[in-house]
Amino acid sequence: GDAHLNGDAHLNGDAHLNGKSSTTPICPSTGQPCANGCGNTPAAKALGAAEDDPVTAAREPIFPPELKRRVLTPLALPGAIATWHRPTILAGLLALKKAHPDARLVCGNTEVGVEVKFKNMKYPVIVAPTHVPELTEVTVNEDSLVLGASVTLTTLLNACETLTARLGPVRTSGLVAIKEQLRWFAGPQVRNVSSVGGNVCTASPISDLNPLWIACGATFEVESLDRGARRVAAKDFFKGYRSTDLKPDEVLTAIALPLTEKGEYVREFKQSHRREDDIAIVTAGMRAKFDIVDNVPTVAEIAFGFGGMSFKTVSCPKTSAALAGKPWTDETLKLALATLPEDLPMSPDVPGGMCEFRRSLANSFVFKFYVDCCRRLEADGLVADAVAAAGLGAADLSAADRFHRPFPSGAQYTQVRDGGTVGQPTMHQSAEVQVTGEAEYADDIAKPVGMLHAALALSTVPHGKILDIDPAAALATPGVHGFFSAKDVPNNVIGPAVLDEEVFASEYVTCVGHPVGVVVADTQDIALEASRLVRVKYEELPAILNIDEAIAADSYHTWPGFTDHGIEDGDVDAAMAECEAAGRVVEGDARCGGQEHFYLEPMVSLVWCGDNDDLITISSTQAPQKHQKLISSALKIPCNRVVCKTKRLGGGFGGKETRAAFLNVCAAIPAFHMRKPISLVLDRHVDMAITGQRHAFLGKYKVGYSPEGKILALDMMLYNNAGNSLDLSAAIMDRAIFHSDGAYKIPNVRVNGRCCKTNLPSNTAFRGFGGPQGVIFAEMWMDRVARKLGQPAEKIRHVNLYEEGETCHFGQKMESSQLRACWDEAVAKADIDSRRAAADAFNAVNKHRKRGIAATPVKFGISFTALFMNQAGALVHCYLDGTVLVTHGGVEMGQGLHTKVAQICAAELGIETDSVYIAETSTDKVPNASPTAASASSDLYGAAVTDACRQINERLAPVKAQLGPEKSKDFKEVCTAAYFARIDLSAHGWYTTPDLVWQWDGTKGRPFNYFCFGAAVSEVEIDALSGDVNLLRTDIVMDCGDSINPALDVGQVEGGFVQGMGWVALEELKYGDPDHKWIRPGTLFTAGPGTYKIPTANDIPLEFNVTLLHNAPNPRAVASSKAVGEPPFLLANSVFFAIKDAVCAARAGNGLDTDITMDSPATPERVRMACGGPISDVFYDSTDAPAYRAKLTC
């Protein structure tokens, strides 16, 4: 008889509740009868379990048993926009589908929810088939596994695991493939609610499972009320883009998956941008059944299913027919690789792009399957020497390995100071409320009475003249209170650096997402819906969408004094001519893409008016003073009437320095006119689309070097994609110019920079502020020099490192330099020489998996490059109970600034850190504060607080002398005595960074207070067939001076490194531009977590070792510390160049040149295509050029 596996209880052996009383305690975590005794623990009893009645508790268990016994009934819940039905029998479901052919069936809402929220789809009737028993059954018979269509993916995964163990590997090759594919399908939360049937009927062209259903020969059972049931082969089910063979009144009820036989193998494949929780670029399922005659395997049956290769999931009939009856040999493999492209044609401008990569992946997957079958035929004892007979060697076998990630490990080495509060690993002051969810962010505060919600009306073209703005339809929407545009703004011209922006576009829009107005309504949903009803007519104008187009059109932001800077040091022309004569020059161009900030908290502004034309705003910003200034300017009211407050940010990374300000002005306009509180909260996809990112850069360089690898001359031109306004692009370019030497002494340097004016949203500050772009270009040409000389790159880098006392190209000397100390310790801890030898040995015996290792240094200047911004103020108030309140101009955005300031204050006053509270940042407490940026906030505000505390200590000295040593230990008593002596217990502290000298007039100077140093060594393993990257190990040594808080600093080092790793190896922005014609011009395709991927916990190094350099005090900052916000970001360069090292090993194995340019980020596309080789040569001849350069939004 058939075995039934219905639900998790059967699969996992869970206990069944039958409603009868029991003496078993109830588990406080699950609400189930306790099986392991935890219900009798003190913790359980603390939750209210009574001694004499373990089922009855003073507090309800998390899941009351009564709900388990509840009898299900059909539901029909009418709503304003949809009616929700939940049938409980199959006939009821079919009747609903007949009555409502357009009804959407929803189990987990993982697809329809996205369509409703982001695609504005309307579904008046929604049916939930989750409680129809026939659709939730899992049944196994002699030759197949039958799944009800409402079975969740988690249940399917559990069933695969259970049946694999019970039935053995011969019958379950398909189940193993499904189980492995589901490991990388979304996350547990999604798998727990998503259904098998929903996944099938969504008919996504990049589905993970549908190719496997096709390959395995699955059949789908569909049923209607009138015509009954019928069966459809999976290969015939998918008819077009997100369309299937289902008739309007039919429902998918079950999936029958055949079990495999002896000599039959199934394999799954998937490549995505990020390994975990990411949609596929290409996904595949393959099955081969062999007849064995005279020790020769012959293809009896073979099937392929591919996703990501067409507008639907496809099979490959030509390839299957061509291989049928053929022996499993190298000639058959060649036939498969030649025939597959005929089944999978693809145009260069195919939606999704990456044409050559996707076609290469498909062929690479076939090769992997070929190797896998050979290996399994031999391992199963079906064919002796199957691997050798197939023309494969031992070095080929790892091509078929599945990726399994072990649990990561790591170590943190810090130095804790003796005594005192400074130097201790004190916990972040907000840590507890943040992990419990109690921490209040800007959108969490109690809302003012009568608050309205705002939503922006945004342009849909990259460049156009506005002919008409018609808000009539929006204003007619119930709940809408108004629409405001440029004519409602007293002063519509704004800008954080120069006045080149408008609050709302008046005559021209210059990017997609340019605000043309704001709608105000009762709720956010109404405001968003109404904003989409604002009709704008344009005369479309030519748009410039990337750096190359800007250069060709001579389109630059030109503001005398702000832009077009450069530095020249030494005699570049003479040195370069000498190197050229000796043939020791590398020349080329390099590109690095932008990066989305992806702060957890999106942009938020809340504005309301007082009773005297004053405005109060709470905003998620790193720069409250900029908000105050821009609101004051736009409304033509004095700054003293505008107060901007910020308690904490859910991340900023530079993105909330200037781009938050114009949004606050957009909210202030209706608040001022209507005298109503206004809230403006951006959805994630809108935030990403309109607020700008890290600048993409193009660098054109020429480098001369000596026979020993010493860099003698650098001539470089930098371009950044600034977007439609200048914003901070000029200052970002300045820092890139300052850091274009990397960490290397170059006697002759010429570097210039231009800010390209394009029709994209204005790009802005991001952690590192141009430094990372300048430094990665330096490492790119340094790596090329090493390869020209045939030397390990770390050797050439070491030769060129700055020495103590040497001078940078801008004139600043290396003082108290810890650069070589960091480098020496990092390479020693990493044991780089022996590990490079081990990597070489690994590469020698693995043809398709390669390892690479790289060490890179960090030198990063600390100070605002705009000298006037290097100032800070703070207020310190001492109260009679001995507690202290501090207000300063810095913003807490998760980095621990407030905690460090509290430690410094406590140390200065001789009290415990717990006695110091840091108040919210507010412009009415500390005026004219510089943004919390440039990694300088701990230096600036820590020093300002120190100044205030010293003033108070000077006043308290006579009081302490009078009280005596013992009583003076009690700060409460000291404050009380001072109060009665009428001594001021409040002080305003002030600090300006000393000795800074810089002018862009050709002279040398000192733009930075000091440098931070560091070094990192990273090792990776790449799959040269798919481009997949696995980060094996990273060793970091970072110079943080005498750390104020080692725990926070290690967190910043690790977080900065991982964020940098995302920039160089994972995250890629894609706009509609000449290289991405499948995207609407000027539109950001990667607007949201569905298409833009940041690192997860599964992307960190498998071994992650961090050391804060010991015994390295910094004499130029508070408490001998150093900044730690931005410098660690640059440590991730070691990952990029380890990847390139592995790519070059693959190229060498393919007989290709290793002197190549690889642009950043090193995504799977760039890695795979740079490796080259015969499989990808079908689509791109890697012998015609040094390396394939994938298209990049730049």
Side-chain angles (χ1 to χ4, degrees):
D2 295 344
H4 290 271
L5 301 173
N6 295 336
D8 292 346
H10 293 269
L11 292 173
N12 300 330
D14 293 345
H16 292 270
L17 290 177
N18 57 14
K20 296 181 180 179
S21 178
S22 168
T23 58
T24 305
I26 294 295
C27 174
S29 298
T30 66
Q32 300 280 4
C34 182
N36 60 9
C38 71
N40 286 320
T41 63
K45 294 174 182 177
L47 289 174
E51 293 283 351
D52 56 344
D53 186 2
V55 176
T56 304
R59 288 176 56 188
E60 239 181 20
I62 288 175
F63 197 96
E66 292 82 2
L67 293 182
K68 293 278 189 179
R69 301 191 293 268
R70 186 166 177 260
V71 177
L72 292 173
T73 58
L75 295 178
L77 305 176
I81 60 174
T83 299
W84 180 281
H85 296 273
R86 189 194 69 184
T88 56
I89 59 173
L90 180 58
L93 172 62
L94 298 179
L96 281 168
K97 199 67 172 75
K98 178 181 178 181
H100 307 284
D102 294 328
R104 290 303 299 264
L105 271 60
V106 173
C107 289
N109 201 38
T110 55
E111 181 70 22
V112 170
V114 171
E115 292 176 339
V116 170
K117 181 172 178 62
F118 298 108
K119 300 180 181 179
N120 305 313
M121 303 294 286
K122 307 293 183 185
Y123 298 116
V125 179
I126 294 177
V127 180
T130 51
H131 290 69
V132 176
E134 295 92 332
L135 270 62
T136 59
E137 291 184 344
V138 181
T139 306
V140 184
N141 55 42
E142 290 184 1
D143 56 9
S144 65
L145 168 68
V146 181
L147 304 162
S150 292
V151 166
T152 67
L153 297 180
T154 295
T155 301
L156 171 59
L157 179 61
N158 293 338
C160 290
E161 291 175 343
T162 301
L163 291 171
T164 299
R166 188 189 350 175
L167 301 178
V170 171
R171 304 303 316 279
T172 59
S173 182
L175 301 184
V176 171
I178 290 172
K179 179 189 69 173
E180 291 296 326
Q181 196 77 308
L182 285 173
R183 288 176 60 227
W184 309 114
F185 186 100
Q189 298 91 336
V190 172
R191 292 196 297 265
N192 286 344
V193 295
S194 295
S195 68
V196 176
N199 184 263
V200 169
C201 292
T202 296
S204 168
I206 52 173
S207 168
D208 290 354
L209 290 180
N210 288 342
L212 279 168
W213 301 132
I214 291 175
C216 290
T219 57
F220 299 153
E221 184 167 310
V222 302
E223 190 169 346
S224 71
L225 188 65
D226 294 336
R227 294 184 303 280
R230 65 185 178 96
R231 292 193 171 188
V232 184
K235 65 183 178 62
D236 300 322
F237 188 73
F238 305 102
K239 296 300 185 182
Y241 179 72
R242 293 188 178 270
S243 66
T244 68
D245 192 49
L246 280 174
K247 304 301 185 288
D249 63 339
E250 286 183 326
V251 171
L252 175 67
T253 56
I255 299 168
L257 178 73
L259 300 177
T260 52
E261 301 175 358
K262 189 175 183 181
E264 185 176 10
Y265 303 111
V266 180
R267 184 63 192 268
E268 81 299 334
F269 299 99
K270 176 181 178 180
Q271 185 59 48
S272 51
H273 292 286
R274 183 178 66 197
R275 184 177 298 109
E276 184 182 47
D277 196 12
D278 192 5
I279 57 177
I281 299 170
V282 174
T283 181
M286 302 181 193
R287 178 180 61 89
K289 187 176 181 180
F290 296 99
D291 291 332
I292 314 298
V293 180
D294 296 331
N295 201 46
V296 176
T298 301
V299 178
E301 189 178 334
I302 191 165
F304 302 90
F306 278 94
M309 297 302 295
S310 180
F311 54 85
K312 64 176 183 175
T313 305
V314 295
S315 58
C316 299
K318 290 183 180 179
T319 308
S320 296
L323 302 188
K326 298 290 194 301
W328 200 243
T329 63
D330 185 53
E331 290 301 315
T332 301
L333 171 64
K334 292 176 181 177
L335 177 63
L337 296 179
T339 310
L340 193 70
E342 297 178 23
D343 276 319
L344 303 173
M346 187 174 287
S347 65
D349 291 326
V350 63
M354 302 181 287
C355 170
E356 295 86 353
F357 175 49
R358 288 154 70 180
R359 302 188 81 187
S360 296
L361 275 178
N363 274 21
S364 294
F365 289 163
V366 169
F367 175 77
K368 285 171 173 280
F369 184 59
Y370 177 76
V371 175
D372 190 51
C373 288
C374 292
R375 194 165 61 174
R376 290 160 81 172
L377 285 166
E378 186 171 314
D380 291 348
L382 299 178
V383 178
D385 300 322
V387 172
L392 300 173
D396 291 303
L397 297 184
S398 61
D401 288 348
R402 287 186 171 102
F403 176 79
H404 288 278
R405 179 180 171 89
F407 197 79
S409 63
Q412 301 168 344
Y413 302 94
T414 64
Q415 187 176 27
V416 178
R417 302 191 211 181
D418 295 331
T421 59
V422 168
Q424 301 302 309
T426 304
M427 183 176 68
H428 193 294
Q429 286 197 328
S430 298
E432 291 181 347
V433 293
Q434 285 177 306
V435 298
T436 60
E438 297 171 274
E440 284 192 347
Y441 295 88
D443 195 37
D444 297 325
I445 66 166
K447 303 301 188 291
V449 176
M451 187 189 79
L452 300 176
H453 296 263
L456 299 174
L458 303 169
S459 65
T460 56
V461 300
H463 192 198
K465 182 178 181 180
I466 298 174
L467 302 178
D468 182 55
I469 300 175
D470 181 9
L475 292 171
T477 304
V480 170
H481 289 256
F483 173 77
F484 301 85
S485 60
K487 61 183 176 58
D488 302 300
V489 185
N491 177 23
N492 198 40
V493 179
I494 59 172
V498 299
L499 299 177
D500 66 342
E501 299 184 37
E502 292 184 311
V503 179
F504 299 119
S506 58
E507 295 183 61
Y508 295 92
V509 294
T510 53
C511 69
V512 172
H514 198 157
V516 297
V518 62
V519 174
V520 177
D522 288 331
T523 69
Q524 187 178 20
D525 286 343
I526 294 173
L528 289 169
E529 181 68 26
S531 70
R532 291 189 282 266
L533 298 176
V534 176
R535 297 290 175 252
V536 185
K537 292 182 180 179
Y538 305 99
E539 176 190 337
E540 291 199 41
L541 302 173
I544 295 171
L545 300 172
N546 62 21
I547 290 176
D548 290 331
E549 287 191 328
I551 294 172
D554 198 32
S555 177
Y556 303 105
H557 292 281
T558 302
W559 292 83
F562 286 94
T563 61
D564 305 325
H565 292 155
I567 295 175
E568 186 163 356
D569 184 43
D571 191 338
V572 175
D573 293 331
M576 195 71 74
E578 187 175 333
C579 293
E580 284 184 313
R584 291 191 297 272
V585 168
V586 294
E587 186 173 6
D589 66 79
R591 298 170 188 263
C592 56
Q595 184 182 22
E596 166 58 31
H597 302 88
F598 219 97
Y599 26 69
L600 293 181
E601 174 201 29
M603 297 287 194
V604 178
S605 296
L606 175 60
V607 188
W608 68 93
C609 289
D611 57 4
N612 196 23
D613 283 349
D614 55 321
L615 265 77
I616 301 95
T617 175
I618 295 173
S619 178
S620 55
T621 178
Q622 297 170 234
Q625 184 268 342
K626 288 186 184 292
H627 288 229
Q628 178 193 42
K629 178 181 176 182
L630 292 188
I631 290 174
S632 166
S633 173
L635 293 175
K636 292 186 176 181
I637 60 176
C639 280
N640 63 3
R641 301 289 182 91
V642 181
V643 176
C644 183
K645 300 173 179 288
T646 301
K647 185 174 181 65
R648 62 169 63 86
L649 304 186
F653 311 118
K656 295 178 179 176
E657 182 176 344
T658 58
R659 301 320 294 164
F662 84 92
L663 296 168
N664 210 349
V665 177
C666 290
I669 299 303
F672 187 74
H673 285 297
M674 301 180 73
R675 294 301 193 267
K676 288 273 192 179
I678 301 293
S679 170
L680 175 61
V681 181
L682 297 191
D683 279 347
R684 172 71 60 189
H685 67 289
V686 176
D687 191 312
M688 292 180 69
I690 74 172
T691 61
Q693 291 95 17
R694 181 187 299 279
H695 292 67
F697 266 66
L698 164 65
K700 297 183 177 182
Y701 61 83
K702 190 174 184 180
V703 177
Y705 56 93
S706 73
E708 300 76 29
K710 286 283 287 183
I711 305 302
L712 302 177
L714 168 65
D715 193 354
M716 192 162 197
M717 186 70 200
L718 297 174
Y719 303 89
N720 68 22
N721 190 330
N724 68 332
S725 71
L726 184 62
D727 192 72
L728 300 177
S729 301
I732 287 164
M733 178 58 76
D734 291 348
R735 186 170 281 268
I737 291 171
F738 283 131
H739 288 79
S740 58
D741 59 341
Y744 309 115
K745 173 59 181 175
I746 309 170
N748 304 283
V749 176
R750 179 166 56 226
V751 187
N752 293 283
R754 302 294 304 267
C755 300
C756 295
K757 187 175 184 179
T758 62
N759 294 113
L760 298 181
S762 189
N763 287 314
T764 192
F766 198 137
R767 195 177 200 165
F769 204 77
Q773 293 95 322
V775 170
I776 197 171
F777 287 156
E779 299 298 350
M780 285 179 175
W781 49 252
M782 184 65 75
D783 185 84
R784 287 194 61 198
V785 169
R787 295 192 184 280
K788 284 283 190 182
L789 293 170
Q791 296 288 339
E794 61 269 16
K795 178 179 178 181
I796 302 303
R797 289 188 169 104
H798 181 260
V799 165
N800 285 281
L801 290 176
Y802 274 108
E803 299 274 8
E804 175 74 14
E806 289 186 327
T807 303
C808 298
H809 58 295
F810 45 86
Q812 185 162 343
K813 283 188 177 181
M814 291 289 112
E815 299 170 342
S816 303
S817 172
Q818 303 295 343
L819 177 59
R820 287 184 174 266
C822 290
W823 176 273
D824 292 343
E825 186 169 346
V827 297
K829 284 180 176 290
D831 193 14
I832 192 170
D833 292 335
S834 62
R835 284 174 56 209
R836 179 168 289 284
D840 291 342
F842 176 90
N843 293 341
V845 296
N846 288 275
K847 185 176 180 181
H848 308 289
R849 291 185 180 273
K850 298 295 182 180
R851 290 184 177 176
I853 192 167
T856 58
V858 171
K859 170 186 68 71
F860 192 86
I862 302 300
S863 285
F864 288 99
T865 52
L867 301 192
F868 70 90
M869 298 176 73
N870 294 284
Q871 55 179 296
L875 282 176
V876 177
H877 303 313
C878 300
Y879 294 98
L880 300 186
D881 63 352
T883 61
V884 176
L885 176 67
V886 175
T887 305
H888 60 83
V891 174
E892 175 60 54
M893 46 190 174
Q895 82 280 40
L897 172 62
H898 284 358
T899 304
K900 286 187 174 183
V901 168
Q903 288 179 267
I904 291 167
C905 179
E908 290 294 328
L909 296 177
I911 59 179
E912 295 298 318
T913 304
D914 290 345
S915 297
V916 181
Y917 180 74
I918 311 296
E920 66 182 3
T921 308
S922 181
T923 57
D924 63 350
K925 300 298 188 297
V926 177
N928 311 318
S930 294
T932 302
S935 303
S937 297
S938 293
D939 293 356
L940 292 171
Y941 297 110
V945 166
T946 298
D947 178 53
C949 290
R950 286 174 181 167
Q951 295 175 45
I952 292 172
N953 281 333
E954 288 175 4
R955 299 172 198 159
L956 294 179
V959 177
K960 290 181 178 180
Q962 188 173 6
L963 289 174
E966 286 303 315
K967 288 186 176 182
S968 294
K969 294 178 181 179
D970 186 345
F971 195 65
K972 175 182 178 180
E973 190 163 344
V974 172
C975 289
T976 301
Y979 172 74
F980 283 106
R982 297 183 296 175
I983 292 174
D984 185 5
L985 291 172
S986 176
H988 170 250
W990 187 250
Y991 175 77
T992 59
T993 308
D995 308 325
L996 299 181
V997 178
W998 183 256
Q999 294 290 332
W1000 290 100
D1001 58 3
T1003 60
K1004 307 300 182 188
R1006 183 191 185 100
F1008 302 116
N1009 187 26
Y1010 58 86
F1011 293 103
C1012 282
F1013 303 101
V1017 180
S1018 292
E1019 183 177 6
V1020 304
E1021 181 180 316
I1022 68 167
D1023 183 334
L1025 293 171
S1026 69
D1028 202 46
V1029 175
N1030 184 24
L1031 180 51
L1032 301 177
R1033 176 175 166 180
T1034 294
D1035 294 87
I1036 290 171
V1037 177
M1038 194 71 211
D1039 168 29
C1040 293
D1042 285 347
S1043 174
I1044 295 173
N1045 187 316
L1048 293 180
D1049 286 352
V1050 166
Q1052 285 291 295
V1053 171
E1054 292 178 341
F1057 170 83
V1058 172
Q1059 191 175 51
M1061 180 190 70
W1063 178 57
V1064 301
L1066 182 62
E1067 301 173 46
E1068 183 170 11
L1069 296 165
K1070 292 185 179 180
Y1071 278 93
D1073 59 28
D1075 286 332
H1076 302 85
K1077 294 180 180 179
W1078 50 275
I1079 307 173
R1080 287 185 60 189
T1083 301
L1084 179 64
F1085 173 74
T1086 51
T1091 50
Y1092 187 84
K1093 300 300 174 180
I1094 63 173
T1096 70
N1098 254 1
D1099 298 299
I1100 67 172
L1102 286 174
E1103 184 179 346
F1104 197 5
N1105 303 313
V1106 176
T1107 299
L1108 301 188
L1109 189 68
H1110 293 12
N1111 304 314
N1114 174 29
R1116 295 194 59 84
V1118 62
S1120 300
S1121 66
K1122 278 193 175 182
V1124 72
E1126 293 169 298
F1129 186 94
L1130 284 72
L1131 296 164
N1133 285 337
S1134 61
V1135 178
F1136 180 87
F1137 290 98
I1139 293 172
K1140 185 182 177 186
D1141 192 48
V1143 166
C1144 288
R1147 290 182 64 83
N1150 289 322
L1152 301 173
D1153 186 9
T1154 60
D1155 178 22
I1156 63 170
T1157 295
M1158 196 165 82
D1159 298 321
S1160 173
T1163 58
E1165 178 189 15
R1166 287 186 181 81
V1167 172
R1168 171 63 189 93
M1169 299 309 291
C1171 288
I1175 291 177
S1176 62
D1177 279 352
V1178 177
F1179 314 107
Y1180 169 77
D1181 187 354
S1182 56
T1183 62
D1184 284 350
Y1188 178 91
R1189 292 180 72 172
K1191 296 173 181 177
L1192 177 67
T1193 289
C1194 183

